[in-house]
Amino acid sequence: AQALFGGGGRIAFVSDREDGHTLQIWTMNPDGSDLRQLTFGPTNKTQPRWSPDGTRILYVADGGKDSFGNSYGMDIWSINADGSGPSNLTGSKGEDTDPAWSPDGTRIAFASDRINGLSQVFIMNVTCAAPPEGCQTEKPFNFSAGFAVEDSPTWSPDGATLAVAAEIKGAPKRIYLRLLKPSEGDEAKKLDLGDNVLGADHLRWSPDGKWILFTWVQRTTNELYLVEAVSKVQSPTKLTSTAGNKEGALSPDGTWIVFPSTRDQNPEIYLMPI
């Protein structure tokens, strides 16, 4: 049988192509064929993230209103790969964004300002039955240090560490590594000890555990970079050079990167070997 491109199947992305203004979740083959719209309705859906087994997609969407008419803000949702079974997994007041499945599919990390208006990273346990059945989640717990603005969590392949983009006292975001089960005395480790990367966002850990892909936000430009996940001496590798590239995602085998770019004005999806 022919090997799947990049070790995986379809690409999930966001587009307003249905009506020209509402963002919906779509999937397609890596060559752009067989476009399928998964979500519908009047509100924007963003930030799709595949489950490790490829059966579901997490995304961010409006959570609706409570019985008093107060808005819940943005919540984390899941949907089956065929577009069935959309389900709100967080259902809490505040803005929930940046969802990420753990490598074993049993936990979801996400960013939320639900406690004090300060973005923090939360983790919740999740149990999913085979589609078309849905997922059940437990109450999330705050994983952040409590003093920094943190978002964009990404899991190490062994599930033992989260990398986050942390903004401390208003400084540009740095990449921090946080152990899931820290021993006594362990603290978050700042990945970029030389402060060579200030303004990191949209983090993704490579499947082999060696690299972190990120968007480097510098004034008005966005470019994709790789940085070693284990080295103390950082020398980031620049991957793009047209000033409008961001939100890169790695193929399951780590050989390809897919990302949106405005290099030709209108945002489009691009694919390139790592």
Side-chain angles (χ1 to χ4, degrees):
Q2 184 178 4
L4 290 173
F5 181 90
R10 295 175 65 78
I11 293 172
F13 67 104
V14 171
S15 178
D16 65 357
R17 64 181 62 208
E18 178 197 15
D19 61 9
H21 58 84
T22 307
L23 297 176
Q24 305 287 358
I25 307 299
W26 295 68
T27 63
M28 64 180 173
N29 291 329
D31 63 1
S33 64
D34 192 24
L35 285 162
R36 301 179 191 176
Q37 183 177 351
L38 300 192
T39 62
F40 299 85
T43 60
N44 290 331
K45 291 86 175 174
T46 61
Q47 299 184 321
R49 297 289 292 270
W50 282 104
S51 63
D53 63 4
T55 62
R56 291 178 171 87
I57 296 172
L58 294 177
Y59 63 98
V60 174
D62 184 81
K65 298 181 180 181
D66 63 18
S67 57
F68 298 100
N70 299 312
S71 174
Y72 278 118
M74 306 305 289
D75 286 332
I76 308 300
W77 293 65
S78 71
I79 194 168
N80 295 328
D82 64 359
S84 65
S87 176
N88 190 335
L89 300 184
T90 52
S92 174
K93 293 181 180 179
E95 303 298 323
D96 299 340
T97 60
D98 298 345
W101 292 95
S102 64
D104 63 3
T106 64
R107 293 166 292 177
I108 294 171
F110 63 97
S112 179
D113 64 358
R114 62 180 59 198
I115 291 182
N116 54 10
L118 188 70
S119 179
Q120 303 270 270
V121 171
F122 288 76
I123 295 176
M124 63 182 175
N125 293 329
V126 58
T127 303
C128 297
E133 300 299 319
C135 300
Q136 300 293 324
T137 58
E138 298 178 10
K139 183 179 179 180
F141 68 89
N142 189 344
F143 182 68
S144 289
F147 58 85
V149 173
E150 297 189 350
D151 55 27
S152 192
T154 183
W155 299 82
S156 62
D158 61 6
T161 307
L162 273 181
V164 302
E167 177 185 317
I168 300 176
K169 295 183 179 179
K173 291 180 182 178
R174 294 171 168 87
I175 301 174
Y176 277 78
L177 304 183
R178 298 194 182 282
L179 299 176
L180 269 297
K181 294 182 179 180
S183 61
E184 186 175 353
D186 279 339
E187 296 181 356
K189 299 178 180 179
K190 186 169 64 173
L191 178 58
D192 179 23
L193 298 183
D195 285 342
N196 293 320
V197 179
L198 299 176
D201 207 352
H202 309 302
L203 312 181
R204 297 290 185 95
W205 213 310
S206 66
D208 62 8
K210 295 179 180 180
W211 302 92
I212 291 176
L213 174 68
F214 67 98
T215 303
W216 199 344
V217 182
Q218 296 176 300
R219 296 184 181 179
T220 59
T221 66
N222 298 303
E223 299 290 0
L224 297 181
Y225 282 77
L226 281 176
V227 67
E228 288 184 83
V230 294
S231 174
K232 292 184 178 180
V233 180
Q234 298 301 324
S235 181
T237 301
K238 189 176 183 179
L239 303 180
T240 57
S241 58
T242 59
N245 310 285
K246 60 181 182 178
E247 300 172 8
L250 290 146
S251 62
D253 67 1
T255 62
W256 291 84
I257 297 173
V258 62
F259 61 98
S261 176
T262 55
R263 61 186 61 202
D264 291 325
Q265 303 305 315
N266 191 43
E268 301 290 358
I269 304 298
Y270 287 78
L271 192 67
M272 69 179 179
I274 198 168

